[in-house]
Amino acid sequence: MLDRKVVKLLNEQITKEFYSAYLYLDFANFYAEKGLEGFSNWYEIQAQEERDHAMLFYRYMQNNNEKITLEAIDKPGVTLTELIDPLKEGLKHEEYVTELINKIYAAAQEVNDFRTKQFLDWFVKEQGEEETRASNLITKMELFGHDPKGLYMLDNELSARVYAAPTLVL
């Protein structure tokens, strides 16, 4: 049996991960409407990753015989006007998710829940990678995004991204 506080936070994280997928689909749609299919592709893949993260938490809960409580997923509440807006919002969101993961980790550590800490280790590493990718994308957009040719090349670069499912053993 997992600690009740840890279970509550894990359940909340499932909803937060699905929200992340929903938010990134909103970003993908914004870019698709602007004709930037590469940027749209990048965020569609981000959405797939977030959905899979939610499912990893879901499976972890199931594997530990814990009750899963699925909550409503909020509508994304960000206003997107400039091409860089989703990128900046994406970085802020990844930093927020890092805080959430750290909160669960701290709760597991308080009760010596080594199993959950080990499970979360992958997410801690993943969040570092997510923040770096988001930050690098902002840097590239700031460098090249104001030049039509640079924006075109960056969009082409992002269109080459393909989905790779996470390799986390539960």
Side-chain angles (χ1 to χ4, degrees):
M1 295 275 301
L2 299 178
D3 177 78
R4 294 300 92 205
K5 180 180 178 184
V6 172
V7 167
K8 179 182 181 297
L9 292 170
L10 289 167
N11 260 312
E12 290 171 359
Q13 193 62 31
I14 293 170
T15 304
K16 302 282 187 190
E17 295 291 342
F18 279 125
Y19 171 81
S20 297
Y22 203 48
L23 178 67
Y24 291 152
L25 284 176
D26 193 42
F27 293 174
N29 186 53
F30 172 81
Y31 284 122
E33 289 173 353
K34 303 288 184 195
L36 294 169
E37 297 302 321
F39 282 84
S40 181
N41 175 66
W42 200 85
Y43 275 110
E44 286 175 9
I45 290 171
Q46 282 297 108
Q48 288 177 300
E49 284 185 3
E50 301 303 340
R51 181 206 61 220
D52 281 354
H53 294 170
M55 292 306 297
L56 289 171
F57 280 98
Y58 179 87
R59 292 277 179 244
Y60 180 75
M61 295 282 286
Q62 282 186 330
N63 290 346
N64 284 281
N65 298 314
E66 294 295 343
K67 181 169 174 47
I68 297 167
T69 306
L70 298 176
E71 299 293 337
I73 301 169
D74 292 335
K75 179 179 178 179
V78 295
T79 302
L80 308 173
T81 53
E82 302 295 322
L83 293 179
I84 199 163
D85 289 347
L87 306 180
K88 289 182 175 180
E89 291 295 332
L91 176 58
K92 281 196 314 193
H93 186 72
E94 289 300 337
E95 291 168 342
Y96 168 68
V97 172
T98 297
E99 290 175 20
L100 295 171
I101 298 294
N102 290 344
K103 186 176 177 181
I104 303 168
Y105 201 98
Q109 188 165 338
E110 282 179 20
V111 295
N112 293 325
D113 181 351
F114 301 109
R115 186 180 343 166
T116 298
K117 285 172 52 178
Q118 183 179 26
F119 168 70
L120 292 172
D121 283 341
W122 182 87
F123 288 96
V124 170
K125 180 178 179 284
E126 174 72 7
Q127 281 309 120
E129 293 170 3
E130 292 287 353
E131 288 181 24
T132 298
R133 277 196 300 257
S135 180
N136 289 345
L137 196 49
I138 290 169
T139 299
K140 287 180 180 182
M141 183 61 124
E142 290 173 343
L143 287 171
F144 310 118
H146 299 293
D147 171 48
K149 290 178 187 173
L151 182 61
Y152 177 78
M153 291 176 69
L154 184 54
D155 190 56
N156 278 338
E157 177 185 324
L158 297 178
S159 69
R161 184 179 186 200
V162 294
Y163 179 69
T167 55
L168 177 62
V169 177
L170 301 177

